[in-house]
């Protein structure tokens, strides 16, 4: 079993890899066992993978997108997608899409199938955030996303129009969408001479930067961000920097700080009279 990692496999996948004789030997040696019809557990597979197949489905929806490296909103549920048979005879719960159920193609659904199911599990903001990440990582392009939802409700197609491939993180997408919902014009990933590319720019002078949680313990990144803030301020800009928690968990406290800066007009005028706008 050295060449076959622990995991949950479809029968035809195992036969293609090690042959029927090899599978029979693994079962005889108690290194593999049938989980349900057409599926086998080899070695000690991850609990979530085993549970999904035992329930009658596969890893799908938000859980599958996360496995493919897509930024997803915080969600501790295990999203399982069932085929037509599972939806008829098993309790689930199963994630669903805006069309008939799909066959099982593998343990983890590919991005297009996972996204179609996520459209029904996520709220409007979460769906756009996920699409932003898919576009930014070039896992799908806009036309491909639109095609997946050609028969979906009009609301979904409207949300796709709000997606932006320039967004580099979920909190950045969340901030953009929430400000746009308040009729605030905001531009993502703007290049500023002497400062670099900033996450969001409101008007000509108000910069919004969002620290991703991955960099919280990174001393070099921390120093670079503070230097950028000083450089931006020196050039007449007004930088506001927030953390992942500020956006995801403390938006009620964060939003007024941004609105207060806008009411004061800092997005319209530079702090220095000799500053040159974009």
């Amino acid at each position: 079993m050295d060449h076959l990692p622990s995991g949950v496999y479809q029968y035809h996948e195992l036969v293609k890899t090690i042959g029927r004789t090899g599978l029979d030997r693994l079962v005889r040696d108690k290194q593999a066992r049938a989980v349900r019809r057409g599926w086998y557990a080899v070695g000690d597979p991850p609990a979530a993978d085993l549970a999904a197949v035992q329930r009658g489905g596969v890893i799908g929806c938000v859980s599958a997108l996360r496995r493919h490296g897509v930024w997803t909103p915080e969600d501790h549920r295990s999203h399982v997608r069932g085929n037509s048979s599972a939806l008829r005879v098993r309790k689930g719960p199963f994630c669903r899409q805006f069309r008939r159920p799909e066959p099982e193609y593998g343990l983890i659904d590919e991005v297009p199938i996972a996204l179609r199911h996520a459209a029904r599990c996520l709220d409007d903001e979460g769906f756009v955030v996920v699409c932003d990440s898919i576009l930014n990582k070039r896992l799908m392009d806009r036309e491909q996303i639109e095609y997946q939802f050609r028969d979906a409700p009009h609301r979904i197609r409207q949300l796709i129009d709000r997606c932006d491939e320039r967004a580099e993180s979920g909190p950045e997408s969340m901030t953009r969408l929430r400000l746009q919902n308040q009729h605030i014009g905001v531009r993502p990933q703007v290049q500023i001479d002497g400062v670099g590319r900033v996450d969001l720019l409101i008007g000509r002078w108000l910069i919004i930067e969002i620290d991703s949680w991955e960099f919280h313990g990174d001393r070099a990144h921390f120093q670079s961000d503070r230097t950028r803030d000083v450089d931006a301020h020196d050039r007449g800009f007004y930088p506001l920097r927030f953390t992942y928690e500020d956006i995801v968990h403390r938006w009620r406290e964060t939003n007024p700080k941004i609105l207060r800066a806008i009411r004061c007009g800092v997005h319209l005028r530079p702090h220095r009279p000799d500053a040159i706008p974009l």
Side-chain angles (χ1 to χ4, degrees), residues 122-136:
L122 295 170
D123 60 18
D124 289 357
E125 179 184 273
F127 177 71
V128 175
V129 167
V130 161
C131 287
D132 279 3
S133 180
I134 289 173
L135 290 169
N136 183 262

Side-chain angles (χ1 to χ4, degrees), residues 132 164-168 172-173 175-177 179-180 183-192 196-210 237 262 267-268 276-278:
D132 279 3
D164 196 314
E165 66 277 2
R166 293 171 293 180
E168 295 188 346
E172 179 189 324
S173 296
T175 304
R176 183 190 83 244
L177 292 168
L179 293 177
Q180 289 173 342
H183 308 290
I184 297 171
V186 55
R187 288 180 286 165
Q189 296 299 318
V190 178
Q191 185 71 30
I192 298 176
R197 194 171 60 202
V198 300
D199 290 337
L200 300 167
L201 185 67
I202 299 174
R204 291 184 172 184
W205 300 101
L206 176 56
I207 294 173
I208 306 294
E209 294 273 50
I210 302 160
F237 293 91
I262 293 173
H267 62 305
L268 300 175
I276 301 175
L278 292 175

Side-chain angles (χ1 to χ4, degrees), residues 73-98:
E74 290 185 5
D75 188 339
H76 301 294
R77 295 174 295 173
S78 179
H79 291 257
V80 178
R81 193 267 297 180
N83 59 24
S84 57
S85 175
L87 293 178
R88 286 196 309 271
V89 303
R90 292 179 176 266
K91 293 182 179 180
F94 296 111
C95 300
R96 298 171 182 265
Q97 62 180 349
F98 294 110

Side-chain angles (χ1 to χ4, degrees), residues 89-128:
V89 303
R90 292 179 176 266
K91 293 182 179 180
F94 296 111
C95 300
R96 298 171 182 265
Q97 62 180 349
F98 294 110
R99 61 173 70 175
R100 298 177 65 181
E102 299 270 349
E104 295 171 342
Y105 302 110
L107 174 64
I108 302 171
D109 276 337
E110 292 300 320
V111 172
I113 298 176
L115 179 61
R116 291 201 302 268
H117 288 77
R120 292 191 61 171
C121 273
L122 295 170
D123 60 18
D124 289 357
E125 179 184 273
F127 177 71
V128 175

Side-chain angles (χ1 to χ4, degrees), residues 211 221-232 241 243:
D211 293 332
H221 195 275
F222 181 90
Q223 179 60 53
S224 174
D225 283 345
R226 272 62 196 172
T227 301
R228 275 164 51 93
D229 289 347
V230 172
D231 291 341
R241 183 172 294 277
T243 66

